[in-house]
Amino acid sequence: MSEIAKIELGGKVFEFPVITGTENEKAIDISNLRQDTGYITLDTGYKNTGATTSAITFLDGEEGILKYRGYGIEELAEKATFIEVAYLLIYGNLPTQDQLNQFRDSITKHTLVHEDMKQFFEAYPAKAHPMGVLASMVCSLSTFYPESLDPHRSAEAKNLTIHRLIAKLPTLAAWAYKNSTRHPFMYPKNEFDYCKNFLYMMFAMPTEDFNVDPVVVDALNKLLILHADHEQNCSTSTVRIVGSSQANLYATISAGISALWGPLHGGANQEVIEMLEKIHNDGGDVDKWVAKAKDKDDSFRLMGFGHRVYKNFDPRAKIIKKACDDILEKLGVNDPLLAIAKRLEQVALEDEYFKARNLYPNVDFYSGIIYKAIGIPTEMFTVMFALGRLPGWIAQWKEMTENKEPIGRPRQIYTGEVLRTYVPIEKR
Ligand code: ACO
């Protein structure tokens, strides 16, 4: 017999169906709550609110499990390429060789951005944060492809928009960086795979040969896979809610990029390195900064620690910590910030305050360190996160539109003035 939840209000009992997911997670379906009872639920920060049902990503924060379309993140990070994972997230299954070839060819074909867009870059100040540039550029793509504005276009036309976006994001991201250094833009090299091509556009110079250590390409592939989706987080929920108004995909993803920028979300990887630099410049006294993080009168938090849903450990952090150790050893990196990071990790993992609150290093604690080791400038860290998260955002948008979900529109409990009468300015 299916489970029923009962709510008693004003002496009356109301019944609501219980929905069970394929991993046995449960939800009370309150879609009729207001209509039946006149009440709404209140859940600031959506800590207990399921906004949708989804078949893309499963995560269990208590057990530290993360799966894309049923495949464990550990296996994907070890065996797959980022492009394969992108296909898996967006289309639901791992591609056959033919499907992968077609997907890769289509993406390779669309890596160039319109020449006129170069002028946009040049108009930004050199110090412009690349996340601001990226969000604007992605939204600007909609002006070059006006057909993408039609929410009722064919599935084929929607696929073209998806492929264009995946193809162009690395070009836009690398050019945002090149522009900040006032170095010449490097055009994509389609003989390279997705990750190598991005590194080429970031680091190559027209006057020099380009060589990149395969260890660096592998590390980037892994990092992008680990960031590819994370169910209904802040930026993904933004994507779903903006997309629910039938705004075009470019505008929708641009909104996701903006949401990701915040220091409590994707911006944390940049904050981690800035925090380590601050501690280093202050003499490297880790205990002092741990004490500050624990002090409720001090606004300082240990960036890269804690997570809204992982209350045991972040499975991505486990994989990335190993990758981090490997790459630092292989590249022979010797950075004083890394010693501080290791000490911080150790102190925080042993300290009662962090243990009691289940505050473990999250994926961004280590991703910042790897990005630094492979030469990515700090301000580009969140851009790297956006590159990884793109297939997840697209998959979530596609699922939402295909399921014909209604426009997202939460309610509120009003706490303002009831009724006031207008008073002319001279009498106020
Ligand atoms: N340093 C010190 N104390 C912390 C930290 C931290 N990084 N994170 C949480 N706490 C404390 C809080 O002060 C609070 O203590 P209290 O119960 O004594 O009041 C308790 O732990 C719970 O914290 P909340 O802020 O309620 O937890 P919430 O789930 O709302 O926030 C968040 C999660 C935003 C990730 C938080 O842990 C944080 O700010 N971390 C640092 C920023 C960061 O690394 N963000 C990246 C997240 S991963 C991602 O987006 C990809």
Side-chain angles (χ1 to χ4, degrees), residues 47 227 230 233-234 260 262-269 271-272 290 292-296 300-311 314 316 353-354 357-360 362-365 385 389:
K47 293 193 178 193
H227 284 88
H230 212 232
N233 56 83
C234 175
L260 187 74
L264 296 188
H265 190 15
N269 54 14
E271 301 272 330
V272 168
V290 169
K292 271 167 79 61
K294 288 162 37 176
D295 181 354
K296 292 288 162 208
F300 175 74
R301 278 190 167 200
L302 279 190
M303 298 315 284
F305 281 78
H307 199 279
R308 170 58 65 77
V309 290
Y310 292 121
K311 298 302 176 195
D314 179 341
R316 302 166 302 170
Y353 173 96
F354 293 91
R357 289 167 181 77
N358 295 314
L359 299 172
Y360 297 86
N362 58 47
V363 66
D364 286 323
F365 185 70
F385 192 156
R389 186 52 55 88

Side-chain angles (χ1 to χ4, degrees), residues 7 41 48 63 133 141 147 197 205 214 249 271 288 292 311 353 375 388 414 419 425:
I7 300 180
T41 54
N48 300 289
E63 297 298 323
V133 177
L141 285 173
E147 68 282 2
N197 184 39
M205 292 293 268
L249 184 61
E271 301 272 330
K288 171 183 155 189
K292 271 167 79 61
K311 298 302 176 195
Y353 173 96
Y414 176 69
L419 180 65
I425 197 152

